[in-house]
Amino acid sequence: MRTIILATAIRLLIPVFQIFSVYILFRGHNHPGGGFIGGLIGSIGFIFYVMTYGTKHTLKNYFRVHLKNDKVADLHSRARHRFHIARVNSRYRQRVEDEWKWEHRIMRIRPVYIIATGLFLAATSGLIGLFSGNPYMTAIWTGLEIPIVGKPGTTLLFDAGVYLLVFGIVLKITFVMAEE
Amino acid sequence: MLQLHHLLLLLPLLLPLYGAIFCLFSWNRVNLQMAIACVIQLAMVVASGALLYAVNHEGILVTQLGNWPAPFGITLVADLFSALMVVTASITGAAVVLFSLRGLDLPRQDYGYYPLILMLQMGVAGVCLTGDLFNLFVWFEVLLICCFVMITLGGTKPQLEGAIKYVTINILASGLLLTGIGVVYGITGSLNMAELAMLVRMPSINKSLFLMASTFFIVSLGIKAALFPLFFWLPASYHTPPIAISSFIGGLLTKVGIYAMIRLFTLIFVVEQELILAFFTITAGFTMVIGVLGAAAHYDFRKILSFHIVSQIGYMLMGLAIFTTLSIAGTILFIVHNVFVKTNLFLVSGVVGRLKGSFDLKKLGSQYLQRPFLALLFLISALALAGLPPLSGFWPKFILVKAGLEAEQYTIVGVSLCVSIITLFSMTKIWNEVFWKKQPETDETEPDADRLTKALLYAPIIFLALCILYIGLNAEAAIGLAYRAAEQVLNTDLYINAVLNR
Amino acid sequence: MDIVLPFITGLLFATGLYLILHRHFFKLILGIILFGLATNLFIFTIGRLTRGGSPIIPQGSEVAIEPYADPVPQALLLTAIVIGFGIQAFAIVLVKRVYQAFGTNNLDDLNNTDKTIIPPKE
Amino acid sequence: MLYFILASLIYAFIAPFVHRAAGKYGIAVQAGVPLVLFVYFATFLPDVQKGEVYTEIYNWVPSLGVQLYFYLDGLALLFTLLISGFGTLVMYYASQYLKDDAGLGRLYMYLTLFMVAMLGLVTAGNLVTVFICWELTSITSYLLIGHTHEKETARQSALQALLVTGLGGMALMAGFVLLGIAGDSYTIPELLTRNDLITHSSLYLPMLILILLGAFTKSAQFPFHFWLPNAMAAPTPVSAYLHSATMVKAGIYLLARLSPALSGPDVWHFTLLVIGTTTALLGAFLALQNSDLKAILAYTTVSALGLLVSLIGLGTDAAIQSMVVFLLAHALYKGGLFMVAGNIDHAAGTREYPLLNGLHKQMRFTGIAAMLAALSMAGVLPFIGFIAKELLYEAKAASSYIILALSFMVSVAYVAVATIMGYRIFWHNRSEPTKLKHQGQVTMAYPPLILGICALVFGLMPGHFVAPILGQAASATLGETIDFELSLWHGFTPVLWLSVLTILAGIFLYSVLQKKREPIAILQKLYANGPNKLYFVLLNGLQRGALHLTATIQNGYLRLYIASIILTQVALLLYTIWYNSPTLQLQQKINLLQDVLFHEWLLILLVLPAIYMLLKTTSRLTAIATLSIIGYTASLLYYLFGAPDIAATQLLIETLTVVIFVLVLHKLPRFQYLTHAHRRIKFVVISVLFGATMTYVLLLVKQFPLISNLKEYYGQNAYLLGKGKNIVNVILIDFRAFDTLGEMTVLAVAAIGIFALLRLRMDKEEKA
Amino acid sequence: MEPLILNINKSHELISSLLILLGVVFLLLSSIGLLRFPDFYTRMSAVTKGSTMGLGLILIGLSVYFNNIDVSIKILLILFFTFLTSPVAAHVISRTAVKLRVPFWSRTNIKEFEDYLKRENAFEPKDKPDEFKKD
Amino acid sequence: MSLFTITLHIAIAALAFSLCLASIRFFIGPSLPDRITSFDVMVANIISIIAVYAEITGNKDFIDVAIILSIFGFLGSISFAYYLLKTNR
């Protein structure tokens, strides 16, 4: 389904969805929204992407992080090396991908890891209360007041866990199914 | 700083959760997952043992999650009964995990078996420890979906075939359970089990509506516990997955359903009790009889065991139906004993199946001469299942019979005794066919197992057999515990006061 | 609306069950989803309905101002919906796999493991 | 005493290893264990003979009133001596008889286990302990009878024995519990003193029936006698042990033990007498019909057990006295004869006595042993069997002449059997002596010889050895102290003449049997349809019935399963509604219809055709789209009634379901109508019923006000304590965050499950 | 029940309600078009423009009513999404329709497409699922 | 009830009516793309209903639902199209 109109629209929409999803996550405490809805919105862009480009392309473009390029590090200064890594990991990743070299160490971000991180965040947000002598999941609040978020506390951590989990799950399901 | 009882109540839930998380993090490294699972299981046994110890010495433990007062947040409660369940589950889980190190084929282990079994344990602990009706539903769903996945893990044809029935019927059950919870909320406006128990005992509550609500719980929990007109999913599916899975599911899950029934029908649904108990009595009788007849009819090792699960659920329900302290104690003891025994029998069948490559009784034989030690282990579990003294099965049966006769419920006692004879018959059928009979000629060669594999396969069976023997021989400890647990279960004021902190 | 929604719920229950009782896979899965929908609607209806007021504390206030809908059934419902989604997704995939493995769309062809077969009398 | 029994129990489990390690000389250890026990119990003789009772109490399960209560009085001591003494002989005999058997080690184990169980049974002073040992003897005897387990018959007989005695065991358990309830105690000594309480209890009759059922099955009384002859499939040492002195006598022991507590009412005496006499006659008759030596012995054992039961049933002093003497005599001669039969079987390879002739030259010692035992059995003068028979006749004569006549007939049969065993096989020389496979082993003849000599010695000097202990046993059975004297010679009393007559008649019967060998056909046929047949019919019926029932119930059709589940739910709901429930105020409801707004009506209008469409469509995609329309409508309803969070979630879920469907849809089956329309009717009925019931429930519940303090609490505190303004969200991640944690777990597992389901395919033939 | 008062003072209410009514009319018209037009392609054209327009008007009316920066941003966001996605969706669906050879109205001038349609036929599957024949 | 509210109620009724009209097209078909189109229109109608309802209740938060629906309605129609193309390929 790679029509040029759809493909372009999707490419544009993905970052919008991402930002919007984080927004929904953060304001969920005071307005409709929250981790679940946010996670779904965040992952929806990738569903589109999978539908238009296929699983492999999606994985290649978004779920491989090029961490290091040792050879380059020898040639350049530290600052340039950092820049290079940033470049490799952001805008120009496709171009780097094309000239495959062993020096690029690639880390796969598996959806399972996202799921596990989400669960871990959610479970651990409760532990903070537990180890301060209260029951599990007792909320601890910071004194700050941030515009959209309100007062951040452990519940926000919990919500972020839900977000990541839902994100990971939708990705996992979509990838597996689309590969069929 | 950290308060111990908060931690104790949570460890049975958090340990498997964190174990599962770490297993997910080490997704492609099975060996690491094995190590994590083993360590977590060991820790679970210790933690649940500590919980039981604490409950035994200090009475009912309560923690209000999130520090919200009782009816508003979610409460975790551990009385003796639930602590016993948790201990039983964790011991069984440890045995099964040990078994599955070598008893389960590697691809299955690779595809998330360990996180699944850990989350399943979390679900079981959640059901046992929660003091909130909706939370109960959530944990039921957790263990349900874990079961779905574990039953289909591997995706062989029989597995899929069994799973489709299992999944459909259990989804229905969940729907009905949710509906029931909705009705209860619609009547009382509360979800906390202790508060509900308090409300139900007030004159202002509409008793007939509450009776109506209880039917949803009878049916949905009855499906999960595999009662008579609702048990069909169990024989359809439990014999299809690999043994390491079906032993855990078959050993534990229906008992969790019975646990929930006992909890709810002693605590909350106490309106029009004669009616409910009469229904339970009839159902218990039919469950026993139909289950055991199914076992008598079949010639497949695992199918026989599956039908026996149904039959034994009848005994447990019978204890609830008689509704005296003694009978509830009998049921509690029966649950504990039956989890061990059933798991162990499944594991024995797994060893036989793994070493001989078949579960069909007609194709097996000569195991008595080839593996006398395994025969002994099987005999211990089988006789315990049939309730022969002085193994663990005898005491709960005796207690139930005693309680039943004291309560003048002669019919159900008679039925239960006849059923136990047929149970004995079907167990000896396995013994006759698998162990005594001469091996029929087959051209299949026996897969050989190395020493470590054998040790890992046998170790959990020996361990569980020792548990069975321990319960049987040192019955006073177990019975005393069960009796006190039953007293706690029936003395609802204790529960209500502990939770609502009055 | 308090009077009409129960009927809709009952209708959805009936339809869902009727679809489940078909022997066709696809209808089974449709029925399961519809049944879940009916259950959700049931819970929503049984916590009394309030037209309009959402359980969100308005700006400038520290407590909720009546009339607002009972937030408890809503919270339960959210959890139930999400759980139901997880299970339904699994069920859909399961049905697909069963269809793939057996090549049949008839549930009645799937009673090999379960059916008790009476052997002929010797 | 506990330590002795425990030690031998533990020894039982290491017996196979001892056997393997010690080889040929292991028998010293194996037989040594019962010997030590015998000696140990013998040390109690002096005390017990004085009428003292030795007790030892350990608490086991005090909460159920279960103790390890050892209660050693005369009766118990008699049995312990029999058991351990016989145990010694049988161990030795087994070591000779099964010299080359691979399973000998295990046989030792089971024999020792069995012995310990029997000892526990007779010394136990607590009903529960009695029952535990009772069941242990059942299960060990199952394992013993099935020793030659690769033979079909052995397995079947073992199963039969187990099922019959197990059935009795279950009955016994219930009976014991009832007895415990009626007598308000589980300790036997206490129960023995509460005869009045028990016999006047309303539970007496069921209790009696249940206990008798247990005792009768164990002691092979009519109609449960059939398992005993079949159990002869066991190797002879086992038969000699189980079926002469020990297991079958457990029932007798139990009756004797409980007789002080239970006797009194006519029903007790009558039942025992009738059943006992019937069994005695039947057993004697069947013994004469058979030609297999072990079968003959088995049936005479059945018959003897019947006599013992009838004696207990008589319950007079004389009857009980004769009971204990006959018990001892029977154990001695029957054990010996079994071993003799085993020796013959071992040497000749057959047990059909018509084939056996003139064996005395080849098996001299066995012959002598057989002769001694047979004489005792026939009740010839200097043997203990004679004393037993005298007493028997005296006891019976005191009650009724009919019973005496019956006893006489039974005794005549015994004489005939004894003649066969002691004379026919060994000294009957009319035809060629049978060729043996190998010479009789002298070592195998020792145990029966010892038993025979015992019978002789006890007969000659009854007062010295046996009278005191037998007296105590009789007292224990009667529940009161009695004078007990045994003497060989009573003078020329009528009873003596009767004895002589018995022997003459028996020899006459024997000679008749020699000529006319054909069994009586009609009776044979009648018996072939007797209890044994009944057992098999029942067993097969059970299996086939179970099969048919299971095939009906577990039929593999998911639809029917679901229909039955839903019907149960509906039935329960309707019953509770009918039983007692507030009526639905319909008028009030109809008035409410005015409140429904126009657009709400329109939304509902949307649902109805959508449902119709869903049922009618033949396109998969349309069905999914219709489903999502219904879902969107529902979410719009949520939205309109103040639940934006649910509405949003429902929309997302609905769309995501569509996506999942779409991703797997082309792998899903096409639409087809598989069920015929007329079949669908009943499903329509069930569905409509279910939907209507749910609607009714909903309307009914909504009729009453909902008083919930949750809503108010959350409304008050969501912002102040939970720091969030969206109450639903605060509930989800703070008040009830634990639910959400569970929900997350479900989702994570579902994802893993979908992944595993799609990727992992263990079926090899199926391509991934 | 309060008396019906046309509160002119609240001019944003007036403007908003007018805009909304206008939008509703657009939506209604597009629905009618969807129902009445003869073939898929004409319906498509009626719908995409009409419904997007109607939705836009309603949303603008909403933002006028609330007159609030938050709401306006959100509404801009919706408008952005709708204006971006609605044509894309229409494009994708019509493309699909052409590929599936959904029939044209008899009076459509089809000649200029003929080449394209022929090329499309090469991609036709051999075994077509039956549901397309039915629908 | 002011005239403004009445106007909005009329608007919402009209939108619901429009929804019904679209659903009629959905039910009569005849081709699948037709259905998808009408599905699109229905989503637009639902968004409008949500918007108007937010105005009736004066609750700004309700608009969020509209945003979410506007995103996801797109996903629905795209995935239907995806299916049609995928089975057709």
Side-chain angles (χ1 to χ4, degrees), chain B residues 9-25:
Chain B
L9 269 166
L10 272 160
L11 275 182
L13 287 154
L14 284 189
L15 277 176
L17 179 61
Y18 273 100
I21 290 171
F22 291 133
C23 282
L24 287 181
F25 271 129

mmCIF file of all heavy atoms in Angstrom, chain B residues 9-25:
data_model
loop_
_atom_site.group_PDB
_atom_site.id
_atom_site.type_symbol
_atom_site.label_atom_id
_atom_site.label_comp_id
_atom_site.label_asym_id
_atom_site.label_seq_id
_atom_site.Cartn_x
_atom_site.Cartn_y
_atom_site.Cartn_z
ATOM 1 N N LEU B 9 3.079 -9.258 52.744
ATOM 2 C CA LEU B 9 1.884 -9.456 51.944
ATOM 3 C C LEU B 9 2.156 -9.262 50.474
ATOM 4 O O LEU B 9 1.478 -9.824 49.626
ATOM 5 C CB LEU B 9 0.806 -8.476 52.389
ATOM 6 C CG LEU B 9 -0.098 -8.997 53.469
ATOM 7 C CD1 LEU B 9 -0.884 -7.875 54.053
ATOM 8 C CD2 LEU B 9 -1.040 -10.005 52.867
ATOM 9 N N LEU B 10 3.156 -8.429 50.190
ATOM 10 C CA LEU B 10 3.385 -8.107 48.790
ATOM 11 C C LEU B 10 4.363 -9.029 48.110
ATOM 12 O O LEU B 10 4.334 -9.181 46.894
ATOM 13 C CB LEU B 10 3.893 -6.670 48.685
ATOM 14 C CG LEU B 10 2.726 -5.727 48.586
ATOM 15 C CD1 LEU B 10 3.137 -4.353 48.959
ATOM 16 C CD2 LEU B 10 2.181 -5.757 47.179
ATOM 17 N N LEU B 11 5.244 -9.628 48.894
ATOM 18 C CA LEU B 11 6.283 -10.422 48.254
ATOM 19 C C LEU B 11 5.734 -11.516 47.340
ATOM 20 O O LEU B 11 6.243 -11.680 46.228
ATOM 21 C CB LEU B 11 7.209 -11.023 49.316
ATOM 22 C CG LEU B 11 8.337 -10.092 49.751
ATOM 23 C CD1 LEU B 11 9.217 -10.772 50.754
ATOM 24 C CD2 LEU B 11 9.151 -9.628 48.561
ATOM 25 N N PRO B 12 4.700 -12.241 47.751
ATOM 26 C CA PRO B 12 4.204 -13.274 46.828
ATOM 27 C C PRO B 12 3.719 -12.701 45.505
ATOM 28 O O PRO B 12 3.645 -13.417 44.514
ATOM 29 C CB PRO B 12 3.042 -13.908 47.589
ATOM 30 C CG PRO B 12 3.285 -13.607 48.999
ATOM 31 C CD PRO B 12 4.001 -12.293 49.033
ATOM 32 N N LEU B 13 3.387 -11.421 45.487
ATOM 33 C CA LEU B 13 2.969 -10.805 44.236
ATOM 34 C C LEU B 13 4.133 -10.178 43.499
ATOM 35 O O LEU B 13 4.263 -10.288 42.281
ATOM 36 C CB LEU B 13 1.924 -9.721 44.520
ATOM 37 C CG LEU B 13 0.570 -10.225 44.908
ATOM 38 C CD1 LEU B 13 -0.147 -9.213 45.746
ATOM 39 C CD2 LEU B 13 -0.206 -10.504 43.656
ATOM 40 N N LEU B 14 4.976 -9.513 44.260
ATOM 41 C CA LEU B 14 6.032 -8.737 43.602
ATOM 42 C C LEU B 14 7.166 -9.621 43.116
ATOM 43 O O LEU B 14 7.738 -9.367 42.062
ATOM 44 C CB LEU B 14 6.577 -7.682 44.557
ATOM 45 C CG LEU B 14 5.665 -6.483 44.747
ATOM 46 C CD1 LEU B 14 6.373 -5.401 45.525
ATOM 47 C CD2 LEU B 14 5.226 -5.930 43.415
ATOM 48 N N LEU B 15 7.482 -10.650 43.886
ATOM 49 C CA LEU B 15 8.599 -11.504 43.451
ATOM 50 C C LEU B 15 8.367 -12.069 42.054
ATOM 51 O O LEU B 15 9.210 -11.896 41.178
ATOM 52 C CB LEU B 15 8.820 -12.628 44.459
ATOM 53 C CG LEU B 15 9.663 -12.275 45.676
ATOM 54 C CD1 LEU B 15 9.700 -13.443 46.628
ATOM 55 C CD2 LEU B 15 11.057 -11.885 45.269
ATOM 56 N N PRO B 16 7.222 -12.722 41.825
ATOM 57 C CA PRO B 16 7.036 -13.226 40.460
ATOM 58 C C PRO B 16 6.941 -12.121 39.430
ATOM 59 O O PRO B 16 7.398 -12.297 38.299
ATOM 60 C CB PRO B 16 5.737 -14.025 40.523
ATOM 61 C CG PRO B 16 5.120 -13.707 41.800
ATOM 62 C CD PRO B 16 6.149 -13.176 42.709
ATOM 63 N N LEU B 17 6.371 -10.989 39.823
ATOM 64 C CA LEU B 17 6.270 -9.903 38.851
ATOM 65 C C LEU B 17 7.661 -9.450 38.419
ATOM 66 O O LEU B 17 7.971 -9.351 37.228
ATOM 67 C CB LEU B 17 5.494 -8.728 39.443
ATOM 68 C CG LEU B 17 5.349 -7.529 38.515
ATOM 69 C CD1 LEU B 17 4.604 -7.926 37.259
ATOM 70 C CD2 LEU B 17 4.624 -6.388 39.186
ATOM 71 N N TYR B 18 8.505 -9.214 39.416
ATOM 72 C CA TYR B 18 9.859 -8.781 39.051
ATOM 73 C C TYR B 18 10.600 -9.888 38.319
ATOM 74 O O TYR B 18 11.360 -9.628 37.380
ATOM 75 C CB TYR B 18 10.627 -8.323 40.289
ATOM 76 C CG TYR B 18 10.376 -6.869 40.588
ATOM 77 C CD1 TYR B 18 9.476 -6.484 41.556
ATOM 78 C CD2 TYR B 18 11.019 -5.886 39.852
ATOM 79 C CE1 TYR B 18 9.208 -5.160 41.817
ATOM 80 C CE2 TYR B 18 10.764 -4.556 40.092
ATOM 81 C CZ TYR B 18 9.857 -4.193 41.083
ATOM 82 O OH TYR B 18 9.598 -2.881 41.296
ATOM 83 N N GLY B 19 10.366 -11.118 38.755
ATOM 84 C CA GLY B 19 10.982 -12.229 38.033
ATOM 85 C C GLY B 19 10.579 -12.207 36.569
ATOM 86 O O GLY B 19 11.415 -12.343 35.667
ATOM 87 N N ALA B 20 9.276 -12.005 36.342
ATOM 88 C CA ALA B 20 8.793 -11.985 34.961
ATOM 89 C C ALA B 20 9.409 -10.826 34.201
ATOM 90 O O ALA B 20 9.795 -10.957 33.033
ATOM 91 C CB ALA B 20 7.275 -11.890 34.949
ATOM 92 N N ILE B 21 9.525 -9.672 34.879
ATOM 93 C CA ILE B 21 10.106 -8.505 34.198
ATOM 94 C C ILE B 21 11.543 -8.810 33.792
ATOM 95 O O ILE B 21 11.958 -8.545 32.653
ATOM 96 C CB ILE B 21 10.044 -7.278 35.118
ATOM 97 C CG1 ILE B 21 8.603 -6.821 35.295
ATOM 98 C CG2 ILE B 21 10.870 -6.137 34.542
ATOM 99 C CD1 ILE B 21 8.423 -5.761 36.348
ATOM 100 N N PHE B 22 12.288 -9.392 34.710
ATOM 101 C CA PHE B 22 13.685 -9.664 34.368
ATOM 102 C C PHE B 22 13.781 -10.742 33.294
ATOM 103 O O PHE B 22 14.657 -10.686 32.437
ATOM 104 C CB PHE B 22 14.471 -10.061 35.615
ATOM 105 C CG PHE B 22 14.645 -8.916 36.567
ATOM 106 C CD1 PHE B 22 14.411 -9.050 37.917
ATOM 107 C CD2 PHE B 22 15.008 -7.667 36.075
ATOM 108 C CE1 PHE B 22 14.544 -7.983 38.776
ATOM 109 C CE2 PHE B 22 15.147 -6.585 36.929
ATOM 110 C CZ PHE B 22 14.908 -6.740 38.277
ATOM 111 N N CYS B 23 12.840 -11.690 33.338
ATOM 112 C CA CYS B 23 12.835 -12.680 32.267
ATOM 113 C C CYS B 23 12.564 -12.024 30.923
ATOM 114 O O CYS B 23 13.145 -12.381 29.906
ATOM 115 C CB CYS B 23 11.776 -13.739 32.528
ATOM 116 S SG CYS B 23 12.270 -14.942 33.736
ATOM 117 N N LEU B 24 11.667 -11.043 30.930
ATOM 118 C CA LEU B 24 11.382 -10.346 29.676
ATOM 119 C C LEU B 24 12.611 -9.583 29.207
ATOM 120 O O LEU B 24 12.898 -9.501 28.021
ATOM 121 C CB LEU B 24 10.211 -9.382 29.857
ATOM 122 C CG LEU B 24 8.837 -10.002 29.993
ATOM 123 C CD1 LEU B 24 7.786 -8.929 30.150
ATOM 124 C CD2 LEU B 24 8.514 -10.831 28.778
ATOM 125 N N PHE B 25 13.341 -9.020 30.162
ATOM 126 C CA PHE B 25 14.537 -8.275 29.775
ATOM 127 C C PHE B 25 15.584 -9.204 29.160
ATOM 128 O O PHE B 25 16.347 -8.790 28.293
ATOM 129 C CB PHE B 25 15.127 -7.554 30.989
ATOM 130 C CG PHE B 25 14.549 -6.187 31.182
ATOM 131 C CD1 PHE B 25 14.039 -5.794 32.402
ATOM 132 C CD2 PHE B 25 14.511 -5.288 30.131
ATOM 133 C CE1 PHE B 25 13.489 -4.544 32.577
ATOM 134 C CE2 PHE B 25 13.967 -4.040 30.295
ATOM 135 C CZ PHE B 25 13.460 -3.660 31.520
#
